[in-house]
Amino acid sequence: MKVARSLIFALLLSSLVFAGCNSKIEWKEDFDEALTEAQKEDKDLLILFTGNDWDGISTDFFSNVLATEKFLKAASVHYVPVHFDIPFDIPENDGESHLKERKLTELAIQFNVQYFPTLIAVTTAGQVYAIVDYMPDDDSELMYAETDRMVLNLDSAYIAGREVLALSEQMEKAEGVEKAVLIDRLIRAVPVSYGFQFLDLMKTIPDLDPENLSGIVPEYIATVAYSTAILSLSSGDTAQMAATIEEAATHPLMPADLSQQLFYLGAGMCYNVADFATARDFLLKLYEIDPTSDIAAEVPALIATLSMDFDEE
């Protein structure tokens, strides 16, 4: 009887192992489902954006590398892979597909996708900490890295994520100048195109370090001002945009070169919305800060262009 029970147990165990070995790892296509699984399994998200029906690299790269069992097995160790494929064209009468495309486009905007394919590593809180590189080796004729290289790149992304996590934990416990420095390190630890994720933290830096002991305060005053001005501009509030640029550019801690850059950017934004008077005012203030700078040398020609636009009005 004991032998029979042992045999039955062994058969059950082998069937479970067999079933596990045959379970296929695949890219998920539903964000909420992938997020729930990642939270449950204490993993991050590996998010892929492609245009498989219109982008040749997306199609080839996905088929030959990203959809292979070897890559997905490696990816599933630390990640839940989720794939968003954005179509080029959808028939007008296909309402369901249009709704799906709109959701995918919103996700692409949320994750600041600037090219296809894009492969990013993301925490379950939605924080992007790595763009997984897929550039080929120098001597390769392919347009993308092969599977073994991509597995290594996944490991590099995961290590980068642990660094970001460690910095986040240190930053939460710190205060004052130390916290400001850790925020700066945290922002620099992620890809440049994803620094905007920390805009709220950037806003706290001047208060954390009012005397600029870290030397980083003006940079973040300027960055926050530019981001805020863009938001004001997008909502049609040109006056608020100009006021934001003016306040940051004339901040007591702002060095001359950064102040000039802010006035230059502000002038460009004003010009684009046909506020030529404010654009001219910003250019003149830029020039007055340091007439000998390289950026000031552009002012006379720009003023001349503005004068012609005034005349056309």
Side-chain angles (χ1 to χ4, degrees), residues 1 14 37 42 51 54 68 72-73 81-82 107 163 194 219-220 222 237 239 278 303:
M1 181 67 70
S14 64
E37 183 176 325
D42 194 24
W54 53 271
T68 62
L72 283 169
K73 185 176 180 180
V82 55
L107 281 168
E163 180 186 355
Y194 290 97
E219 176 186 350
Y220 286 106
D237 194 343
T278 306
I303 293 288

Side-chain angles (χ1 to χ4, degrees), residues 138-197:
D138 292 339
D139 58 349
S140 174
E141 295 180 0
L142 294 171
M143 296 296 291
Y144 49 81
E146 296 184 277
T147 306
D148 289 344
R149 169 57 60 183
M150 287 304 301
V151 170
L152 292 175
N153 291 349
L154 276 181
D155 291 340
S156 296
Y158 183 72
I159 291 169
R162 297 322 92 191
E163 180 186 355
V164 168
L165 179 61
L167 284 170
S168 296
E169 291 174 348
Q170 292 175 47
M171 181 269 297
E172 289 294 340
K173 298 174 184 177
E175 296 178 354
V177 178
E178 181 187 2
K179 185 166 186 172
V181 170
L182 285 168
I183 291 172
D184 178 58
R185 287 180 58 193
L186 177 62
I187 293 168
R188 295 182 191 280
V190 304
V192 173
S193 55
Y194 290 97
F196 69 90
Q197 301 173 109

Side-chain angles (χ1 to χ4, degrees), residues 59-117:
T59 306
D60 207 38
F61 184 43
F62 184 77
S63 302
N64 294 330
V65 176
L66 302 182
T68 62
E69 182 180 357
K70 186 174 185 178
F71 178 83
L72 283 169
K73 185 176 180 180
S76 65
V77 175
H78 298 302
Y79 300 99
V80 173
V82 55
H83 177 203
F84 303 125
D85 188 51
I86 301 179
F88 181 75
D89 195 20
I90 295 174
E92 287 297 326
N93 59 354
D94 193 344
E96 185 177 341
S97 292
H98 276 290
L99 180 61
K100 180 180 179 181
E101 181 192 25
R102 185 161 65 248
K103 290 180 178 178
L104 292 178
T105 301
E106 289 172 356
L107 281 168
I109 294 171
Q110 176 185 339
F111 288 108
N112 198 30
V113 176
Q114 300 178 8
Y115 54 85
F116 291 84

Side-chain angles (χ1 to χ4, degrees), residues 3-17:
V3 173
R5 287 179 180 173
S6 298
L7 179 61
I8 290 170
F9 179 76
L11 288 171
L12 285 171
L13 183 60
S14 64
S15 67
L16 289 171
V17 171

Side-chain angles (χ1 to χ4, degrees), residues 251-269:
H251 192 282
L253 293 175
M254 197 63 58
D257 59 340
L258 202 49
S259 181
Q260 286 186 308
Q261 289 177 41
L262 279 169
F263 277 131
Y264 186 86
L265 291 169
M269 286 189 277

Side-chain angles (χ1 to χ4, degrees), residues 219-283:
E219 176 186 350
Y220 286 106
I221 290 174
T223 301
V224 169
Y226 181 67
S227 299
T228 305
I230 290 291
L231 290 174
S232 297
L233 194 63
S234 65
S235 64
D237 194 343
T238 306
Q240 182 57 51
M241 176 273 291
T244 299
I245 292 293
E246 174 93 28
E247 182 181 3
T250 57
H251 192 282
L253 293 175
M254 197 63 58
D257 59 340
L258 202 49
S259 181
Q260 286 186 308
Q261 289 177 41
L262 279 169
F263 277 131
Y264 186 86
L265 291 169
M269 286 189 277
C270 291
Y271 180 83
N272 287 333
V273 295
D275 183 358
F276 301 132
T278 306
R280 181 176 181 274
D281 181 52
F282 278 172
L283 289 173

